Structure formats: C-alpha cells, structure tokens
Amino acid sequence: MKITVFTSNHRRHFHLINTLLNKGHEVFSVIESTTLLSGVVDDHFSSSKILQKYFENVLSSEELIFPDDKFISKSYKIIILKCGDLSYLTKGYLSDFLKSDCYITFGSSFIKGWLAEFLIKRNCLNIHMGVSPFYRGSSCNFWAAYDKNYEYVGGTIHFLSKGLDNGPIVKLVFPTLEENDSSFDFTMKSVKASQKELINII
C-alpha cells in the first residue's frame, strides 16, 4: 500500500514510518521539524530550567521505548519542513505526496486550507495523543496525569476534521502500566500502543 505520513522529527514519529516500511508499505514522509532540545532552545516551548528537565525525561523515555528509531531506515520520498509551514504549501509543491492509498497524520502542525479539505475527503486518519473528547490539543497526556485522570492517558485514532482533534473516533487506545514504569514511560507507551492499533486498522 502507498501511504503518505504527515509527522514530525522525533524517535516516536520515525517509529511509525519505520514500522510501516518494515511491513512492506511505500511510505511518503512529510516531516515538520522541531528542535530536539526543547527547554534548551526556544521553539514550540520556551527555554527554561523546568522545561529542560521535563524534556530530558521525555527524551530518555522516548529512547527507552523506541531504541531503534533514531533514524528513518529508508523511504520512498521525504520532504522536510519547518513546523507550521505545511498549510502554506501549494498542491504543486506536495504533488508527489498526494497520490497515496492512505493518509496519516501524527504529530504534524494543525492542518488548514486546501490540504485539510483534501485529507478529509480521503479519510485521513490522525493519531491524537490524548483521549478525546476529554483532552484535546497539545500535551494532553501530561495534563491528564497532572489532573490525576490516569484513565485518560492514552491515544485516540480518529478521522481528520477541520476542528482540533474532534473528528469521528475510530478507536481509543490505552497503554499497559508496568510496575517500574515512570509517568514518562507510561505516556510514551501510549504512543507505541496507538501506532500499533492504527497499523492494525489500516
């Protein structure tokens, strides 16, 4: 199957691409790049000592859960963008990525305009790391854990829509908590479980 993935540039995002490739799919990757040093470098999050410590823990858990995904093993075509540029590109610029059988978004910026319309018509599936409709937007599993709503730590697989994480839900996914898991491991396992379920669905 030919699949276009709109995603980001961290191990958890590369894991989705690598898993699809290892299953024999042709994967066309649109990668929106963010800093790998959140908390140190101003980007989506401001730099601060607290955020630096937080994201050190995130990266440590990500490396633990996705040890073999530092790189993309191979791909048919890749385009790398600055995060936020995606909705401003023309159809011509993305033409090679718009001829697939299946479309997936995971960790991309909020998609608007003609591209959103295109993906919605083609039943694009989104992995939202949070349990909709209870938590939508960014850092949902962090906020669910912060609120002590641990039953809402997980993922939502849903069809893309114009609203933020509010498309028709296909499946809610929850990780399995093990005795020695940190809260960071638990939330990162929800990423892996959601990706596995998405691949089963497609």
Side-chain angles (χ1 to χ4, degrees):
M1 185 185 298
K2 187 174 175 181
I3 301 173
T4 295
V5 179
F6 297 87
T7 192
S8 191
N9 62 313
H10 295 261
R11 284 177 184 259
R12 59 190 181 273
H13 306 111
F14 291 174
H15 178 76
L16 176 60
I17 295 169
N18 286 335
T19 304
L20 290 167
L21 288 165
N22 290 337
K23 289 189 173 290
H25 298 293
E26 295 180 46
V27 182
F28 290 71
S29 306
V30 181
I31 297 172
E32 292 186 277
S33 182
T34 63
T35 182
L36 298 179
L37 300 170
S38 292
V40 178
V41 176
D42 283 334
D43 193 21
H44 184 71
F45 296 95
S46 299
S47 59
S48 74
K49 292 291 184 185
I50 292 172
L51 286 176
Q52 181 178 347
K53 181 62 178 171
Y54 172 80
F55 283 108
E56 283 173 1
N57 287 317
V58 169
L59 291 176
S60 177
S61 286
E62 188 176 44
E63 186 173 351
L64 177 69
I65 305 302
F66 304 108
D68 301 322
D69 296 292
K70 188 174 182 181
F71 306 105
I72 297 173
S73 58
K74 57 182 178 177
S75 192
Y76 287 82
K77 283 201 173 181
I78 298 176
I79 185 170
I80 300 173
L81 309 168
K82 184 178 186 298
C83 187
D85 286 356
L86 184 56
S87 291
Y88 297 98
L89 298 181
T90 64
K91 290 181 185 178
Y93 197 87
L94 288 173
S95 61
D96 291 342
F97 299 84
L98 304 178
K99 301 168 185 173
S100 292
D101 305 303
C102 179
Y103 297 87
I104 298 168
T105 55
F106 168 56
S108 67
S109 61
F110 185 56
I111 299 173
K112 301 174 282 189
W114 71 267
L115 183 56
E117 298 275 359
F118 175 91
L119 294 173
I120 291 166
K121 285 179 184 175
R122 282 153 183 83
N123 296 317
C124 177
L125 289 168
N126 180 58
I127 299 177
H128 164 58
M129 294 320 308
V131 178
S132 290
F134 308 101
Y135 288 87
R136 298 192 311 210
S138 178
S139 306
C140 293
N141 284 330
F142 166 82
W143 289 112
Y146 179 84
D147 294 339
K148 295 184 170 49
N149 290 328
Y150 301 110
E151 68 275 22
Y152 294 143
V153 173
T156 303
I157 299 168
H158 65 92
F159 289 107
L160 194 69
S161 67
K162 287 185 178 179
L164 183 62
D165 302 322
N166 70 349
I169 294 172
V170 177
K171 181 96 182 215
L172 297 176
V173 184
F174 300 93
T176 301
L177 180 62
E178 297 179 25
E179 186 175 351
N180 294 322
D181 283 345
S182 70
S183 59
F184 294 93
D185 299 338
F186 184 45
T187 57
M188 202 57 71
K189 282 184 174 181
S190 69
V191 176
K192 194 167 191 177
S194 298
Q195 291 183 10
K196 182 177 179 180
E197 190 58 41
L198 172 75
I199 290 167
N200 288 339
I201 289 167
I202 64 170

